[in-house]
Amino acid sequence: MLYEEYVPIRFDYTVEDIKRLTKECIDGWDKLYEKLVSYNPYKKIKLEGSYRLASGPIHFNEAIIPDLTKDEHCYNIYSNISIIKNVHPNKEVREACCEACIELSKYSNELFMRKDIYDAYKQIKELDYDLLGSESKKMLDEIMKGFERNGVHLDKKSRDDIKKTKDELTEKTQQFSKNIRDYEKDMWFTKTEPDGLDDMYCKDREKYINDDLETVYKVGLKYPDVIPIFRNCANNRTREYLYSEFHKRGLSEKNGEGNDEILEEILKLRNKFSKLLGYKSYSNYVLSHKRIADKPEKVYDFIFSLIDKLSPKIDNDIENLKTIKRKLNKDELSEVKDDIHIYEKLFLSEKLSEEMFNIDNKPIKEYFQLEYLLTNLFEIYEKMFNVVIRKINVDEKDIGKYIWHKDVKLYAIYNATERKENLFGYFYLDMFPRDGKFSHGAMFPLVSSSHNHDTGNRNKAISAIVTNFTKP
């Protein structure tokens, strides 16, 4: 099978497999870094009483390069666990991955606080830096900055405080994401409550007949559920209620803290972390590392300069929305407030497009079916980058093994010659919402394209694109 021969990733993991992979990852890094700190950089270079290197970056090549592939392997395990946490259909496996991510993040926090590892890199840099190429210099610089940005240069008490704070941050941020990912709440509406929706929206929804003999439809809080209502529902109260519920996802957890409490703690921990490192705020900490703006004041100046320039246009747009709102509510003007509420914006914008530009998105969307769009999108990328994108058909018996759900699609990217040796990499598309899945849109890297120092070949890049579009 093509995919079995080429793609080095599987997804049919059990809870025990996740625990095993986590241990494999930590044990692998332990061995790598114990080897690094025990490396003696002076064993080969005492030449004529001098400890200067004669020629070539021998220490960099001896102590770092041979283990890059093993290091990459550990990072790939970490990346795979991260995506399984966000997309796997089995809740127990997702929970195990969440625990694994916390354990691996805490391990990483500890790793970047180890002064012996930092000193080993520092010693190699002092001996080899002038002899390295630009890529190797950049790699070594970035590694050392990673340690320094975690406070490895500080005294032990400060390092211990920083590690404790980062570990708490790890737990809180993971829990925050989990609360949103696992949040489930369904609401039931008659067809008249979200007035203005077409039959296609209600067609395949779960439903029942109530005591008044009305059909009641199930509406969840996934994007394909709420966006059509925000755009097209003429019932203001329905939109307001659904908007409120959508933005309360994760706020009230029965078995733990709600996200409102967690977010407040995250902000406090970030502030504490940045102060321990000597920064005025967390924003100063983030912007201090290779950002276009190196301090918050520049960001504020930029934002406020845009506000000044855009305000006339914004005021005009708001007035247009108010005009539409008055027209829609002409029979009850005395009760209508002139303000534009956030839950009204999409609906009024849709009506404004219909009136000003004669655009009705409902019939237009019939010409933009997902499969048709994907085919044409791939053709554009093929021409632009001189590549060929081929779908890999996974046998039904292998669903769960090579893809994590039946709706997931797997693709290979070749150069335009389509020769096997010119395979660039793979990507997965997971486009439709389901319970327990990551609820937004993101790209997850699974395997980075890098030179494999064990085989001499280049690892093929693998990534996953996760979205939540309406299922055809």
Side-chain angles (χ1 to χ4, degrees), residues 403-454:
I403 56 176
W404 53 87
H405 190 271
K406 62 183 178 63
D407 289 339
V408 175
K409 293 179 172 60
L410 172 61
Y411 296 87
I413 304 179
Y414 302 84
N415 76 355
T417 64
E418 292 190 77
R419 293 182 300 177
K420 177 183 172 183
E421 61 267 27
N422 288 319
L423 172 70
F424 290 153
Y426 304 87
F427 66 94
Y428 300 85
L429 284 184
D430 186 356
M431 295 182 285
F432 311 124
R434 57 182 177 271
D435 289 344
K437 178 188 166 184
F438 180 76
S439 60
H440 203 57
M443 188 283 291
F444 293 86
L446 303 180
V447 175
S448 61
S449 177
S450 58
H451 182 74
N452 189 314
H453 294 275
D454 292 341

Side-chain angles (χ1 to χ4, degrees), residues 309-360:
K309 293 172 184 176
L310 296 174
S311 285
K313 293 289 185 183
I314 294 170
D315 292 341
N316 184 65
D317 287 346
I318 291 174
E319 189 55 45
N320 285 334
L321 293 179
K322 287 181 178 180
T323 301
I324 288 292
K325 182 175 179 177
R326 294 188 198 105
K327 288 182 179 180
L328 292 172
N329 296 281
K330 59 184 177 181
D331 296 330
E332 41 184 321
L333 274 177
S334 59
E335 300 178 13
V336 175
K337 294 183 179 180
D338 210 24
D339 298 330
I340 302 297
H341 299 288
I342 188 69
Y343 56 84
E344 298 176 303
K345 180 176 174 294
L346 280 177
F347 174 72
L348 294 175
S349 297
E350 199 79 7
K351 294 300 179 185
L352 185 64
S353 295
E354 291 176 14
E355 178 167 308
M356 291 186 67
F357 309 110
N358 197 27
I359 295 175
D360 184 355

